[in-house]
Amino acid sequence: MRSTLLILTFMMLSIETRGQLLKKTDTFVGGRVALGSVAGASAGFAATGEYGFDNDLGLIAVIGYSGYTDDFGYGERSHTNVLLMGGVSYHHKLIQDEKFDTFGSVAIGYNVASTSWKWKNNPLNLGEPSASVGGIVIGFSANLRYFLSPQWAVTGSIGYGLGVLSVGADYRIP
C-alpha cells in the first residue's frame, strides 16, 4: 500500500513531463477483473467509464460486483457486494511512448452489501436470516493503459477500493 501511495504522489507532484494524454470529451468504457480483497472476496468484476472534462483530467464511474461464501460445515454464509463509485482521474506521462497512458484516480462511493445464512441440515427448522448492510467506500489507484489501437487498450491498476490489482480492457468511443 505504501508503494501505491508513493506512485500516486509522484504522479500528482511531478509536472515537468506533463503531456496531454486525456483530451477534453474523450470517453472510455471498459471492464475489469479485480483481484485481492474485493470487499472480502478474492475476485470481483467491474464496469468502468471515464469522461475527459478537461485536458488530462477525467470523471470516472465504476459499478463493481463481488460475492463469496463461507462454509462452516453445518451451514453457509453468503456475501454479496455491489460497489457504486464515482471520482476523478489525473493523467500524467510517466512512460515516454505514445501507446502508454499513466494516470492516478481517486473515487468515493457506496457498497450495497448483503449477507445470508443457509443451514445444511436444519432438523430444528431454524430460520435462515439475511441482512442488508453497506457503507462508504473510498478508492485510489495508479493505472496504466496500453493502446493496442486508437480505440482499444488493455488496462492494469494497483490500489485500494475495488481490489488491490485489476486488469481489463477499455474502448475509446470515437
Side-chain angles (χ1 to χ4, degrees):
M1 185 144 121
R2 285 185 184 172
S3 61
T4 302
L5 287 173
L6 289 172
I7 290 169
L8 284 173
T9 302
F10 179 75
M11 289 173 70
M12 298 298 178
L13 294 177
S14 57
I15 60 171
E16 66 186 57
T17 60
R18 184 175 172 184
Q20 187 176 328
L21 302 170
L22 180 72
K23 295 176 184 70
K24 195 172 185 176
T25 71
D26 270 357
T27 304
F28 289 92
V29 293
R32 308 273 188 283
V33 174
L35 306 171
S37 189
V38 183
S42 59
F45 307 94
T48 62
E50 181 179 21
Y51 175 76
F53 71 89
D54 198 4
N55 293 336
D56 299 332
L57 296 172
L59 294 175
I60 58 172
V62 178
I63 300 172
Y65 169 82
S66 70
Y68 64 101
T69 301
D70 295 320
D71 189 342
F72 294 98
Y74 51 86
E76 295 179 342
R77 183 176 57 194
S78 297
H79 306 275
T80 301
N81 300 285
V82 177
L83 297 144
L84 307 169
M85 301 175 76
V88 295
S89 62
Y90 172 70
H91 294 252
H92 181 79
K93 192 138 193 86
L94 290 177
I95 300 173
Q96 300 302 319
D97 186 330
E98 294 291 319
K99 292 188 175 219
F100 288 95
D101 177 13
T102 52
F103 60 101
S105 61
V106 178
I108 188 166
Y110 194 76
N111 179 7
V112 181
S114 65
T115 187
S116 63
W117 178 265
K118 181 165 177 72
W119 294 100
K120 287 190 178 178
N121 185 3
N122 193 358
L124 301 176
N125 202 22
L126 298 172
E128 295 182 338
S130 64
S132 294
V133 294
I136 300 238
V137 176
I138 297 173
F140 55 89
S141 62
N143 310 278
L144 174 69
R145 212 179 251 145
Y146 178 77
F147 286 93
L148 302 171
S149 73
Q151 270 73 44
W152 285 100
V154 292
T155 304
S157 302
I158 185 167
Y160 177 79
L162 182 62
V164 176
L165 174 69
S166 68
V167 293
D170 285 338
Y171 176 75
R172 181 186 324 210
I173 298 173

